[in-house]
Amino acid sequence: MNTLVGAVLLTRTGGILGPIASILGWVMDRLFAFTGLFGIENIGLCIILFTAVVKILMLPLTIKQQKNSKLMAVMQPEIQAIQKKYKGKENDQKAMMMMQTETKAVYEKYGTSMTGGCLPLLIQLPIILALYRVIYNIPAYVNTVRGYYEAVIANLGSGFVENATFQALAEAQKMPVANYDFANNASSTIDLLYKFTSQQWDQLVGAFPAVGEAVTETGTRVVDAIANMQNFFGLNLAYTPLQVISNFFSGVGGVGVLTMIAALCIPILAGGSQWFSTKLMTANNAMSNQQNGEDPSASMMKSMNIMMPLMSVFFCFTFASGIGIYWVAQSVFTIIQQVFINAHLKKVDIDDLVQKNVEKANKKRAKKGLPPTKVGNVDEMMKKLQEKEDREETKRMEKIAKSKAQVEESNRYYNEDAKPGSLAAKANMVAKYNEKHEKGGKK
């Protein structure tokens, strides 16, 4: 048993995503067990519930991120004015430092920072990546699901790898026996079984009757339990919509019209729902973007809001149907969530939001021993910055004048009482000659 579990763990992801994926896998396993209490064990339904739970858990980060976006929309005119002020001075190091200082002052005015809006995204990114890994390889993370496949492996027998039918099935899934250690690596066998169609399961049962006789604790055949939990509206969740559509037109796998339509709906729904959810998410900033027609980021965002849904449609055709169902569910829940978030943000007073941000920022500044910042102090900061710049310029000019006076004093010292024929006398004659001709030229 220990060998089996250790082998299954090999299919899991490592690095920083490993612990996160394990936690998310545990959540999905609990959801799968919960639906099982009602006699429903279906991976598609579990993915939908799983998506809802994750969206709820990430709601505080989502609200914070969108508050920052709303604040950025208000700040944008001031930031653009600063950028316009220093336009064409990209090679002037001093000008760029001034621009950065003024921009920082604007952020401080609103009680935020240049990296404040990125933090929620940075926190969400590893969660999203781990989420994909769990959905892509559910048997590796959901113990309840893995148990069914372990029951199948236990009834294959010790010499199953030499069986011609098993070898043919592995070859059909592009996992040839020569390249995979199915006998000693249970994870590879589970990965193979997870991709089987209903016809391939029938072939496996025909070659290994014990598999067809294995039953669950409730008396259901293991093979039937796997078929029920792995199919969603007739779709095998391990298959891509493109494979299902291709099999329908080629007459392979006994794919029906309804199954083909369901496969076609996944990419279309994924793209359409993502477009609508993005439109809702940017609704709060739409007014500001219209007022700032010169903002290049607004134009870029508009293009991305079109391109990203189209990319989702393309990827969903080539990704496993389980991923597509997650994308659709994620966008649908985002739409529902966004309706309430938009209603909440409309009630948020920008002045109150800025004041709260400044209070939080001042607490952090106090810990660092820095003086507090005040709301609306940009003009004051710019005045102090200009005064500092003027003082530095005055010091620089005084230094230049002092150096010039020292040079002139040195020249007078060496030129006075110079002996006839000496180098100093000759230099003095040249200086007087030049001075005479300069005066003559001015006449």
Short mmCIF file of all heavy atoms in Angstrom, two decimals, residues 148-158 160 163 201-216 220-224:
data_model
loop_
_atom_site.label_atom_id
_atom_site.label_comp_id
_atom_site.label_asym_id
_atom_site.label_seq_id
_atom_site.Cartn_x
_atom_site.Cartn_y
_atom_site.Cartn_z
N TYR A 148 -11.00 4.48 -6.62
CA TYR A 148 -11.66 3.65 -7.64
C TYR A 148 -10.64 3.07 -8.62
O TYR A 148 -10.73 1.90 -9.00
CB TYR A 148 -12.68 4.50 -8.40
CG TYR A 148 -13.89 4.87 -7.58
CD1 TYR A 148 -14.02 6.15 -7.04
CD2 TYR A 148 -14.91 3.96 -7.34
CE1 TYR A 148 -15.12 6.50 -6.28
CE2 TYR A 148 -16.02 4.30 -6.58
CZ TYR A 148 -16.11 5.58 -6.06
OH TYR A 148 -17.21 5.92 -5.31
N TYR A 149 -9.69 3.88 -9.02
CA TYR A 149 -8.67 3.41 -9.95
C TYR A 149 -7.72 2.41 -9.29
O TYR A 149 -7.22 1.47 -9.94
CB TYR A 149 -7.88 4.60 -10.51
CG TYR A 149 -8.71 5.46 -11.43
CD1 TYR A 149 -9.36 6.59 -10.95
CD2 TYR A 149 -8.85 5.15 -12.77
CE1 TYR A 149 -10.14 7.39 -11.78
CE2 TYR A 149 -9.62 5.93 -13.61
CZ TYR A 149 -10.27 7.05 -13.11
OH TYR A 149 -11.04 7.81 -13.94
N GLU A 150 -7.48 2.58 -8.00
CA GLU A 150 -6.66 1.61 -7.28
C GLU A 150 -7.35 0.25 -7.23
O GLU A 150 -6.69 -0.79 -7.31
CB GLU A 150 -6.39 2.11 -5.86
CG GLU A 150 -5.45 3.31 -5.80
CD GLU A 150 -5.31 3.85 -4.39
OE1 GLU A 150 -6.13 3.48 -3.52
OE2 GLU A 150 -4.38 4.65 -4.15
N ALA A 151 -8.67 0.28 -7.12
CA ALA A 151 -9.44 -0.98 -7.12
C ALA A 151 -9.31 -1.69 -8.45
O ALA A 151 -9.23 -2.92 -8.51
CB ALA A 151 -10.90 -0.69 -6.80
N VAL A 152 -9.28 -0.91 -9.55
CA VAL A 152 -9.10 -1.50 -10.88
C VAL A 152 -7.73 -2.14 -10.99
O VAL A 152 -7.58 -3.28 -11.46
CB VAL A 152 -9.29 -0.44 -11.98
CG1 VAL A 152 -8.93 -1.00 -13.35
CG2 VAL A 152 -10.74 0.06 -11.99
N ILE A 153 -6.68 -1.40 -10.56
CA ILE A 153 -5.31 -1.91 -10.65
C ILE A 153 -5.17 -3.20 -9.83
O ILE A 153 -4.50 -4.15 -10.26
CB ILE A 153 -4.32 -0.85 -10.15
CG1 ILE A 153 -4.32 0.36 -11.09
CG2 ILE A 153 -2.91 -1.42 -10.04
CD1 ILE A 153 -3.46 1.52 -10.61
N ALA A 154 -5.82 -3.25 -8.67
CA ALA A 154 -5.73 -4.43 -7.81
C ALA A 154 -6.32 -5.67 -8.47
O ALA A 154 -5.94 -6.80 -8.13
CB ALA A 154 -6.45 -4.16 -6.49
N ASN A 155 -7.23 -5.48 -9.43
CA ASN A 155 -7.89 -6.62 -10.10
C ASN A 155 -7.32 -6.90 -11.49
O ASN A 155 -7.86 -7.75 -12.21
CB ASN A 155 -9.39 -6.35 -10.21
CG ASN A 155 -10.11 -6.53 -8.88
OD1 ASN A 155 -10.45 -7.61 -8.46
ND2 ASN A 155 -10.31 -5.40 -8.18
N LEU A 156 -6.24 -6.20 -11.86
CA LEU A 156 -5.62 -6.47 -13.15
C LEU A 156 -4.73 -7.71 -13.11
O LEU A 156 -4.51 -8.37 -14.13
CB LEU A 156 -4.78 -5.27 -13.60
CG LEU A 156 -5.54 -4.03 -14.09
CD1 LEU A 156 -4.58 -2.88 -14.38
CD2 LEU A 156 -6.36 -4.36 -15.34
N GLY A 157 -4.21 -8.02 -11.94
CA GLY A 157 -3.31 -9.17 -11.83
C GLY A 157 -1.86 -8.75 -12.02
O GLY A 157 -1.57 -7.67 -12.54
N SER A 158 -0.97 -9.60 -11.62
CA SER A 158 0.45 -9.26 -11.63
C SER A 158 1.05 -9.16 -13.02
O SER A 158 1.97 -8.39 -13.26
CB SER A 158 1.25 -10.29 -10.81
OG SER A 158 1.04 -11.60 -11.35
N PHE A 160 -0.37 -8.08 -15.90
CA PHE A 160 -1.27 -7.36 -16.82
C PHE A 160 -0.53 -6.62 -17.92
O PHE A 160 -1.07 -6.39 -19.00
CB PHE A 160 -2.17 -6.39 -16.04
CG PHE A 160 -1.45 -5.19 -15.47
CD1 PHE A 160 -1.36 -4.00 -16.18
CD2 PHE A 160 -0.86 -5.25 -14.21
CE1 PHE A 160 -0.72 -2.90 -15.65
CE2 PHE A 160 -0.22 -4.15 -13.67
CZ PHE A 160 -0.14 -2.97 -14.38
N ASN A 163 -0.28 -8.47 -21.22
CA ASN A 163 -1.54 -8.74 -21.92
C ASN A 163 -1.61 -7.91 -23.20
O ASN A 163 -1.38 -6.70 -23.20
CB ASN A 163 -2.72 -8.41 -21.00
CG ASN A 163 -4.05 -8.78 -21.62
OD1 ASN A 163 -4.56 -8.07 -22.47
ND2 ASN A 163 -4.61 -9.90 -21.17
N TRP A 201 -12.98 0.86 -21.87
CA TRP A 201 -13.26 0.18 -20.60
C TRP A 201 -13.88 -1.19 -20.86
O TRP A 201 -13.54 -2.17 -20.18
CB TRP A 201 -14.21 1.02 -19.74
CG TRP A 201 -13.52 2.07 -18.91
CD1 TRP A 201 -13.58 3.41 -19.08
CD2 TRP A 201 -12.66 1.84 -17.80
NE1 TRP A 201 -12.80 4.05 -18.14
CE2 TRP A 201 -12.22 3.11 -17.33
CE3 TRP A 201 -12.21 0.70 -17.14
CZ2 TRP A 201 -11.38 3.26 -16.24
CZ3 TRP A 201 -11.35 0.86 -16.04
CH2 TRP A 201 -10.94 2.11 -15.61
N ASP A 202 -14.75 -1.27 -21.86
CA ASP A 202 -15.35 -2.56 -22.22
C ASP A 202 -14.28 -3.54 -22.68
O ASP A 202 -14.33 -4.73 -22.34
CB ASP A 202 -16.40 -2.38 -23.31
CG ASP A 202 -17.64 -1.63 -22.82
OD1 ASP A 202 -17.85 -1.62 -21.59
OD2 ASP A 202 -18.37 -1.06 -23.65
N GLN A 203 -13.31 -3.05 -23.46
CA GLN A 203 -12.22 -3.91 -23.93
C GLN A 203 -11.38 -4.40 -22.74
O GLN A 203 -10.96 -5.56 -22.71
CB GLN A 203 -11.33 -3.14 -24.92
CG GLN A 203 -12.03 -2.79 -26.22
CD GLN A 203 -11.14 -1.96 -27.14
OE1 GLN A 203 -9.92 -2.12 -27.16
NE2 GLN A 203 -11.76 -1.06 -27.89
N LEU A 204 -11.13 -3.48 -21.77
CA LEU A 204 -10.33 -3.85 -20.61
C LEU A 204 -11.05 -4.92 -19.78
O LEU A 204 -10.42 -5.90 -19.33
CB LEU A 204 -10.05 -2.62 -19.75
CG LEU A 204 -9.10 -2.85 -18.56
CD1 LEU A 204 -7.67 -3.05 -19.05
CD2 LEU A 204 -9.16 -1.67 -17.57
N VAL A 205 -12.36 -4.74 -19.59
CA VAL A 205 -13.14 -5.73 -18.83
C VAL A 205 -13.17 -7.07 -19.54
O VAL A 205 -13.10 -8.13 -18.90
CB VAL A 205 -14.58 -5.20 -18.60
CG1 VAL A 205 -15.47 -6.29 -18.02
CG2 VAL A 205 -14.55 -3.99 -17.68
N GLY A 206 -13.23 -7.03 -20.89
CA GLY A 206 -13.21 -8.28 -21.66
C GLY A 206 -11.90 -9.04 -21.48
O GLY A 206 -11.90 -10.28 -21.45
N ALA A 207 -10.80 -8.29 -21.35
CA ALA A 207 -9.49 -8.93 -21.18
C ALA A 207 -9.22 -9.29 -19.72
O ALA A 207 -8.48 -10.25 -19.44
CB ALA A 207 -8.39 -8.01 -21.70
N PHE A 208 -9.83 -8.56 -18.79
CA PHE A 208 -9.62 -8.81 -17.36
C PHE A 208 -10.99 -8.87 -16.67
O PHE A 208 -11.47 -7.86 -16.13
CB PHE A 208 -8.78 -7.68 -16.74
CG PHE A 208 -7.42 -7.50 -17.36
CD1 PHE A 208 -7.24 -6.58 -18.39
CD2 PHE A 208 -6.32 -8.25 -16.94
CE1 PHE A 208 -5.99 -6.39 -18.97
CE2 PHE A 208 -5.08 -8.07 -17.52
CZ PHE A 208 -4.90 -7.15 -18.54
N PRO A 209 -11.64 -10.01 -16.68
CA PRO A 209 -12.99 -10.17 -16.11
C PRO A 209 -13.08 -9.75 -14.65
O PRO A 209 -14.12 -9.27 -14.20
CB PRO A 209 -13.26 -11.67 -16.26
CG PRO A 209 -12.39 -12.10 -17.40
CD PRO A 209 -11.16 -11.27 -17.29
N ALA A 210 -11.99 -9.92 -13.89
CA ALA A 210 -12.01 -9.55 -12.47
C ALA A 210 -12.28 -8.06 -12.28
O ALA A 210 -12.87 -7.65 -11.28
CB ALA A 210 -10.68 -9.93 -11.82
N VAL A 211 -11.85 -7.25 -13.26
CA VAL A 211 -12.10 -5.81 -13.17
C VAL A 211 -13.60 -5.53 -13.25
O VAL A 211 -14.14 -4.70 -12.52
CB VAL A 211 -11.35 -5.05 -14.30
CG1 VAL A 211 -11.77 -3.58 -14.33
CG2 VAL A 211 -9.84 -5.17 -14.11
N GLY A 212 -14.28 -6.25 -14.13
CA GLY A 212 -15.72 -6.06 -14.28
C GLY A 212 -16.51 -6.56 -13.08
O GLY A 212 -17.64 -6.11 -12.84
N GLU A 213 -15.92 -7.47 -12.32
CA GLU A 213 -16.62 -8.02 -11.15
C GLU A 213 -16.37 -7.22 -9.87
O GLU A 213 -17.09 -7.38 -8.89
CB GLU A 213 -16.16 -9.47 -10.93
CG GLU A 213 -16.54 -10.39 -12.09
CD GLU A 213 -15.92 -11.78 -11.94
OE1 GLU A 213 -15.21 -12.00 -10.92
OE2 GLU A 213 -16.12 -12.62 -12.83
N ALA A 214 -15.35 -6.35 -9.89
CA ALA A 214 -15.03 -5.55 -8.70
C ALA A 214 -16.16 -4.56 -8.41
O ALA A 214 -16.70 -3.93 -9.34
CB ALA A 214 -13.72 -4.80 -8.91
N VAL A 215 -16.52 -4.43 -7.14
CA VAL A 215 -17.61 -3.54 -6.75
C VAL A 215 -17.16 -2.59 -5.65
O VAL A 215 -16.18 -2.85 -4.95
CB VAL A 215 -18.85 -4.35 -6.26
CG1 VAL A 215 -19.43 -5.19 -7.39
CG2 VAL A 215 -18.47 -5.21 -5.06
N THR A 216 -17.90 -1.49 -5.51
CA THR A 216 -17.61 -0.51 -4.46
C THR A 216 -18.29 -0.96 -3.16
O THR A 216 -18.96 -1.99 -3.12
CB THR A 216 -18.15 0.87 -4.87
OG1 THR A 216 -19.58 0.80 -4.97
CG2 THR A 216 -17.57 1.30 -6.20
N THR A 220 -21.98 -1.08 -6.19
CA THR A 220 -21.91 -0.67 -7.60
C THR A 220 -20.61 -1.16 -8.22
O THR A 220 -19.56 -1.15 -7.58
CB THR A 220 -21.97 0.87 -7.72
OG1 THR A 220 -23.12 1.35 -7.02
CG2 THR A 220 -22.03 1.30 -9.17
N ARG A 221 -20.70 -1.60 -9.49
CA ARG A 221 -19.47 -2.01 -10.17
C ARG A 221 -18.51 -0.83 -10.25
O ARG A 221 -18.91 0.29 -10.53
CB ARG A 221 -19.78 -2.49 -11.58
CG ARG A 221 -20.42 -3.86 -11.68
CD ARG A 221 -20.16 -4.51 -13.05
NE ARG A 221 -20.26 -3.58 -14.17
CZ ARG A 221 -19.70 -3.82 -15.36
NH1 ARG A 221 -18.99 -4.91 -15.56
NH2 ARG A 221 -19.85 -2.94 -16.34
N VAL A 222 -17.23 -1.10 -9.98
CA VAL A 222 -16.23 -0.04 -10.01
C VAL A 222 -16.17 0.63 -11.37
O VAL A 222 -16.08 1.85 -11.47
CB VAL A 222 -14.83 -0.61 -9.63
CG1 VAL A 222 -13.75 0.45 -9.83
CG2 VAL A 222 -14.82 -1.11 -8.19
N VAL A 223 -16.26 -0.17 -12.42
CA VAL A 223 -16.20 0.37 -13.78
C VAL A 223 -17.37 1.32 -14.02
O VAL A 223 -17.21 2.39 -14.62
CB VAL A 223 -16.20 -0.76 -14.82
CG1 VAL A 223 -16.29 -0.20 -16.23
CG2 VAL A 223 -14.95 -1.62 -14.68
N ASP A 224 -18.55 0.96 -13.56
CA ASP A 224 -19.73 1.83 -13.73
C ASP A 224 -19.59 3.10 -12.90
O ASP A 224 -19.98 4.19 -13.34
CB ASP A 224 -21.00 1.09 -13.31
CG ASP A 224 -21.33 -0.09 -14.23
OD1 ASP A 224 -20.89 -0.04 -15.40
OD2 ASP A 224 -22.00 -1.04 -13.78
#
